[in-house]
Amino acid sequence: MQSIEVALLGCGVVGQGVVKLLSDESSPLWERLGKKLVIKKVLVRDLKQSRDVTLAEGVLTTDPREILEDDAIKIVIEVMGGIEPAGALLLQALNNGKHIVTANKALLAEAGGPIFEMAAEKKRHVGFEASVAGGIPILKGLSEGLIANRIERVSGIINGTANYILSEMTEHGLEFADVLKAAQEAGYAEADPTFDIDGIDAAHKLAILITLCYGCQVPFKEIYTEGIRNISSLDIDFADSLGYSIKLLAIAQETKQGVEARVHPTMLPHGHLLTQVHGAMNAIHVVGDAVGESMFYGAGAGSLPTASAVVSDVAMIAARLEEPSLLDIAQRLHPADVRPISEWEGEYYLRFAVRDCPGALAQIAGLLGDHDISITSVYQPERDEGAEVPIVVMTHEAREQNMQSALQKIEALETVLAKPVLVRVEKG
Ligand SMILES: NC(=O)c1ccc[n+]([C@@H]2O[C@H](COP(=O)([O-])OP(=O)(O)OC[C@H]3O[C@@H](n4cnc5c(N)ncnc54)[C@H](OP(=O)(O)O)[C@@H]3O)[C@@H](O)[C@H]2O)c1
């Protein structure tokens, strides 16, 4: 059996999963591929760090040149994370004629252009299946399985931590801060959870999905990104009683005014496929013009699930080392025309914390009306006069720009005691 030598940049959570899969002599991979993948070198920071895998002596190194300058190494697998030095190492690997595989969504979303350009110039493959939704083969699903489709819309739960937090809040009536703290203590959430809970990680993955679906590169800062910090268990309860679940969704859609690219908490009607996705699981709902609706569901992170996606790329590249790849997108990329969130039109859930006094609701309704926003329903529980009370308003379709200027004026009202909560409603 032919052997192909590969190297890893990084041997942490994902890297160790890759080592395990590639060290499994009894894996069906070898018979299917008809070639053997041999790990020649693994770059780490600290040679003494204890690891869950055994590597032959001399395989671990702290010197990237042992990988980049070794012509026998054909495929470099980047699982170290961060923008630099990962980006520079991948560019050097491509420049030296190596194919690359990466799980690094932050790098691809924020600085992927030069990597794809270099790969196209050097006619090398870039595998990045693991960069979106971990173990779910969504990129191969889109680029191969759905190659004949115009993708009308893609929406997904692509951050497991945020979905876990919202699921726990929903199932146990807990508050955001308490669930986050418990998740951090149990190791489910990072010590710095900003990327996960503020939607940044989901936006990184959305940028990659948009590149595949629409052939354009959206400047990362043009993706409207809003996280889940402001969602309270009160909103989840109100949403539930109105027939909705709240999920952090990443949504892309082609419109006449450009590509919509947004990440934000979203109210979905009970019964929508994505409301069935609980805990840390991920799912991507795709609407193609030929296939109709498709749903991809699975583990969006974790050592072996993510390694499964990494190894699938390595195997595909090993199978067609010198052939062009369906994922070689650099030559097809065009600049993105992004439809700003201010032009979005849809229904809204609004919650206001007001001092319970006569006229508070009338003032809010008046300002919404002044901005062309009509109300479908209002809910205001009874409280003692003078106490803080929530007012929940559901609206008909309204324009985001109008909504934001109405909310600014409402927030300034003397009877409104906190920043209003807004959740966009999606039905498709
Ligand atoms: N974890 C997941 O479930 C998951 C899922 C999907 C995608 N990803 C992506 O996969 C990548 C890796 O994530 P991870 O969770 O495996 O990270 P991790 O556990 O922190 O592992 C990082 C590895 O890279 C090595 N490393 C980091 N900086 C280095 C440097 N400057 N020079 C040499 N080695 C360096 C570390 O070496 P030491 O071991 O010596 O410290 C470590 O082995 C990230 O891009 C992440 O976004 C992760």
Side-chain angles (χ1 to χ4, degrees):
M1 200 183 265
Q2 183 194 356
S3 284
I4 294 176
E5 291 186 323
V6 306
L8 277 81
L9 307 177
C11 193
V13 175
V14 182
Q16 291 176 66
V18 172
V19 172
K20 280 181 196 159
L21 292 185
L22 294 185
S23 312
D24 179 357
E25 295 294 336
S26 64
S27 168
L29 172 64
W30 312 123
E31 200 184 320
R32 290 173 186 163
L33 185 60
K35 296 177 184 179
K36 191 89 183 83
L37 298 165
V38 178
I39 299 175
K40 188 162 188 198
K41 285 282 171 191
V42 177
L43 180 77
V44 291
R45 262 181 308 217
D46 177 4
L47 293 174
K48 296 206 174 72
Q49 171 105 14
S50 84
R51 299 177 203 278
D52 207 13
V53 289
T54 317
L55 289 159
E57 213 175 310
V59 171
L60 278 183
T61 177
T62 54
D63 183 355
R65 286 171 306 179
E66 289 186 23
I67 293 171
L68 300 173
E69 293 172 9
D70 183 342
D71 288 339
I73 294 173
K74 300 295 178 207
I75 304 170
V76 171
I77 304 163
E78 187 271 310
V79 280
M80 63 197 288
I83 310 274
E84 293 300 345
L89 292 175
L90 286 181
L91 284 173
Q92 279 179 50
L94 287 167
N95 198 33
N96 292 358
K98 299 177 192 318
H99 303 278
I100 62 166
V101 173
T102 177
N104 194 334
K105 55 257 177 172
L107 172 62
L108 292 181
E110 298 201 33
I115 291 175
F116 289 114
E117 280 158 28
M118 172 80 83
E121 186 194 321
K122 297 285 175 183
K123 296 195 167 30
R124 301 291 91 177
H125 294 282
V126 184
F128 49 103
E129 182 64 73
S131 66
V132 181
I136 306 174
I138 178 66
L139 302 189
K140 289 190 182 68
L142 285 167
S143 58
E144 296 181 17
L146 299 180
I147 193 168
N149 284 256
R150 275 179 207 88
I151 304 299
E152 293 172 357
R153 179 184 166 89
V154 55
S155 56
I157 294 171
I158 49 179
N159 183 276
T161 306
N163 199 52
Y164 171 82
I165 292 174
L166 289 175
S167 300
E168 288 290 294
M169 289 172 72
T170 306
E171 278 162 38
H172 307 293
L174 299 169
E175 282 304 342
F176 170 80
D178 298 329
V179 179
L180 175 61
K181 190 161 171 275
Q184 283 173 316
E185 281 164 9
Y188 300 140
E190 303 277 341
D192 177 2
T194 313
F195 270 34
D196 294 322
I197 62 179
D198 289 338
I200 300 162
D201 175 76
H204 283 146
K205 295 165 181 168
L206 184 66
I208 297 167
L209 284 173
I210 289 173
T211 301
L212 276 193
C213 292
Y214 302 118
C216 59
Q217 260 184 315
V218 177
F220 183 64
K221 58 181 182 325
E222 287 187 35
I223 298 181
Y224 176 76
T225 306
E226 184 188 317
I228 60 170
R229 284 181 201 261
N230 295 331
I231 302 296
S232 77
S233 65
L234 204 58
D235 299 310
I236 289 177
D237 285 351
F238 282 131
D240 184 49
S241 60
L242 292 162
Y244 294 91
S245 300
I246 300 182
K247 294 287 186 189
L248 181 69
L249 288 200
I251 302 169
Q253 188 164 357
E254 206 165 33
T255 72
K256 289 202 177 86
Q257 298 82 27
V259 177
E260 267 185 27
R262 50 198 169 92
V263 173
H264 53 72
T266 308
M267 267 170 56
L268 292 170
H270 290 327
H272 188 291
L273 283 175
L274 288 172
T275 64
Q276 308 308 313
V277 180
H278 303 295
M281 298 306 278
N282 280 201
I284 299 111
H285 182 248
V286 182
V287 184
D289 64 345
V291 75
E293 285 188 80
S294 267
M295 175 97 155
F296 299 75
Y297 172 88
S303 183
L304 286 176
T306 311
S308 159
V310 169
V311 172
S312 89
D313 277 342
V314 180
M316 288 306 121
I317 293 173
R320 30 177 138 135
L321 273 185
E322 302 306 328
E323 290 168 33
S325 155
L326 290 172
L327 281 175
D328 281 347
I329 48 177
Q331 281 138 339
R332 299 187 259 126
L333 282 183
H334 55 82
D337 210 358
V338 180
R339 186 189 189 203
I341 188 79
S342 55
E343 284 176 27
W344 186 73
E345 281 179 38
E347 297 174 19
Y348 294 83
Y349 159 99
L350 306 170
R351 178 170 60 78
F352 305 98
V354 300
R355 189 147 38 77
D356 196 14
C357 59
L361 175 58
Q363 278 182 312
I364 291 173
L367 280 168
L368 290 174
D370 291 348
H371 289 81
D372 220 12
I373 299 163
S374 59
I375 293 173
T376 37
S377 62
V378 176
Y379 176 67
Q380 181 176 19
E382 282 194 20
R383 290 281 204 286
D384 296 337
E385 190 159 322
E388 181 182 325
V389 63
I391 294 182
V392 170
V393 171
M394 297 294 290
T395 75
H396 283 293
E397 275 207 4
R399 187 172 255 242
E400 178 86 16
Q401 203 172 315
N402 296 351
M403 179 59 77
Q404 293 301 342
S405 68
L407 290 185
Q408 237 178 18
K409 292 191 180 125
I410 292 171
E411 194 179 342
L413 291 173
E414 196 249 324
T415 45
V416 173
L417 304 173
K419 192 176 162 58
V421 173
L422 166 158
V423 184
R424 295 170 192 83
V425 179
E426 295 276 342
K427 295 198 168 144

